[in-house]
Amino acid sequence: PDILKGLQRSYPGYAFLLNTQNTVGAFIFGRDGRSYTQLCPLNADSLESAKKIVRYLLYSLKGKAVVIDIPAEKIDFYNWLISLGFKKQRAFTRMYYKNNLPLTTSENQYAITGPEWG
């Protein structure tokens, strides 16, 4: 999609791919924000793949301030991030109007690009 191409083009140093058994196990992008580096989006075939790619990116950021917006149902991922020292900062409520169907989160989606990206 265009968002991913734009992120990769604008912030190539934050685009990583994790290969597992000749398939994509996870991918993550990132971008510089005003106050933080935003890790987004993150898709992974498992919790372990999500952890592995986040660990790698955090290591490469060497102590920079980082934020990540995760879906509420990713409780195990949330708890793991808390164990690393992340703190819950804000919550989002996705809403829809009239006949628009609610958007559902993919089971492989561990972080969203951000609410401002739609």
Side-chain angles (χ1 to χ4, degrees), residues 41-57:
L42 165 58
N43 276 48
D45 63 0
S46 68
L47 175 60
E48 288 310 310
S49 291
K51 288 177 179 181
K52 184 180 272 189
I53 204 164
V54 167
R55 263 191 230 103
Y56 180 81
L57 192 49

Side-chain angles (χ1 to χ4, degrees), residues 91-95:
F92 298 107
T93 301
R94 171 90 50 191
M95 299 174 67

Side-chain angles (χ1 to χ4, degrees), residues 27-110:
F27 67 82
I28 192 167
F29 293 83
R31 60 190 169 92
D32 292 321
R34 190 176 60 233
S35 302
Y36 306 101
T37 298
Q38 172 87 32
L39 302 185
C40 61
L42 165 58
N43 276 48
D45 63 0
S46 68
L47 175 60
E48 288 310 310
S49 291
K51 288 177 179 181
K52 184 180 272 189
I53 204 164
V54 167
R55 263 191 230 103
Y56 180 81
L57 192 49
L58 289 175
Y59 177 78
S60 73
L61 293 171
K62 295 187 181 17
K64 285 187 177 180
V66 173
V67 295
I68 184 168
D69 292 321
I70 65 170
E73 67 270 11
K74 295 297 185 190
I75 301 299
D76 290 341
F77 188 57
Y78 169 87
N79 288 333
W80 178 73
L81 291 170
I82 293 293
S83 77
L84 295 180
F86 280 84
K87 293 181 176 54
K88 184 174 181 177
Q89 184 179 30
R90 59 186 178 185
F92 298 107
T93 301
R94 171 90 50 191
M95 299 174 67
Y96 67 99
Y97 182 67
K98 292 191 178 185
N99 294 327
N100 293 321
L101 295 176
L103 298 174
T104 58
T105 301
S106 162
E107 73 178 67
N108 295 341
Q109 187 175 32
Y110 284 82

